Amino acid sequence: MQKKSGLFVVCLLAMLGASGCIQMEHELQLHGDGSAVYRLQYAITEQAVAQFRAMLLLRRDLALAAGDPPEPDPLPLIKTFLDPSVSAIREHVLAWQPYGVTIRSLRENTRSLWRDYALVLDIADIQQLPNIPFFARHGFSLERNQEGQYVLDRAPLVTQPGSIPPRFSPEELEQIKPFLAGFDTEINIQVPGRIVSTTAGRTSLQTAIWRFNFDRQPESLHQLLQQPFHLVFQAPGITLPEWRLPETERE
């Protein structure tokens, strides 16, 4: 399993061969009444869409050549964002309506050679989020610690030692710079209280921001895969729901 996971990540990094192929901005606003708003700006090049299709076929063919059963495809929502359309995104998100998640807006922006989307979701009750299968696997936990502070926590995408490639050597870095230039991901979390501590690179009173930008920091891809998202905040007079997601094996 570890070898397969490592091979998949190597293929993933290789498929990022279209200059600046993916750009994402995530913003989650948690409100004191237990509701939330989620905003996503997402763009992927047409070349990257074709490459990800090829990657999935390659992973299947490599498994068959090794006499192993083919690994399952990514979760449906992840697969949708590797080959996105407004109708496909809407179909997945509409399935979350029974859990109080509704689409405020979803639009495709005109951009040559890119698929570019802006999505805004209203979440009536964050306590319902762990009931959504995708969130149960890829979401976050929210609990109170002994000091009465709230702790928002999300494990790294990759936790198995040796399951991702080592850092780029100077020679490798020079070779991949032309391909990964422009890769940019930002995650913005706003909470209804004062932030006490966090693993985020930038913070204000109630906002934590993680950014992974290859142009500014070439090791950003490795850091994104291994980044624990951890945020502790004080919210006196506010009672938020608490939950801890089960530990799952991440690829």
Side-chain angles (χ1 to χ4, degrees), residues 77 80-81 85-106 119-122 132-133:
L77 184 60
T80 291
F81 276 99
S85 67
V86 166
S87 59
I89 296 171
R90 185 181 300 277
E91 178 183 353
H92 281 289
V93 178
L94 286 177
W96 299 349
Q97 280 190 335
Y99 307 105
V101 179
T102 55
I103 299 174
R104 181 190 299 184
S105 62
L106 170 59
L119 172 67
V120 181
L121 302 179
D122 288 309
I132 300 173

Side-chain angles (χ1 to χ4, degrees), residues 2 5 9 59 71 88 101 112-113 147 191 196:
Q2 183 171 319
S5 298
V9 175
R59 186 170 67 152
E71 293 187 70
V101 179
S112 178
L113 302 180
E147 290 74 33
V191 294
V196 177

Side-chain angles (χ1 to χ4, degrees), residues 90-228:
R90 185 181 300 277
E91 178 183 353
H92 281 289
V93 178
L94 286 177
W96 299 349
Q97 280 190 335
Y99 307 105
V101 179
T102 55
I103 299 174
R104 181 190 299 184
S105 62
L106 170 59
R107 70 175 187 273
E108 183 171 7
N109 304 313
T110 302
R111 192 173 177 186
S112 178
L113 302 180
W114 287 76
R115 300 190 195 181
D116 190 339
Y117 303 91
L119 172 67
V120 181
L121 302 179
D122 288 309
I123 303 168
D125 183 2
I126 58 174
Q127 191 170 14
Q128 294 296 319
L129 291 178
N131 296 320
I132 300 173
F134 179 83
F135 184 91
R137 181 168 179 178
H138 293 281
F140 58 86
S141 298
L142 183 65
E143 297 179 297
R144 262 187 168 167
N145 60 21
Q146 293 181 347
E147 290 74 33
Q149 302 161 335
Y150 285 99
V151 180
L152 187 153
D153 193 58
R154 185 187 188 280
L157 289 170
V158 175
T159 57
Q160 298 181 33
S163 60
I164 63 173
R167 290 177 177 270
F168 299 123
S169 68
E171 293 78 14
E172 291 171 331
L173 192 56
E174 287 301 316
Q175 292 175 352
I176 65 174
K177 272 184 179 179
F179 304 110
L180 291 178
F183 175 84
D184 193 13
T185 296
E186 181 173 298
I187 298 165
N188 181 316
I189 298 179
Q190 301 177 31
V191 294
R194 182 174 65 86
I195 294 175
V196 177
S197 64
T198 179
T199 57
R202 288 191 291 149
T203 60
S204 63
L205 187 64
Q206 295 179 269
T207 302
I209 299 174
W210 293 260
R211 188 171 186 186
F212 305 90
N213 182 287
F214 180 83
D215 294 344
R216 296 183 180 181
Q217 196 168 17
E219 302 300 334
S220 59
L221 284 175
H222 295 83
Q223 293 171 358
L224 175 59
L225 292 171
Q226 299 176 92
Q227 175 69 61

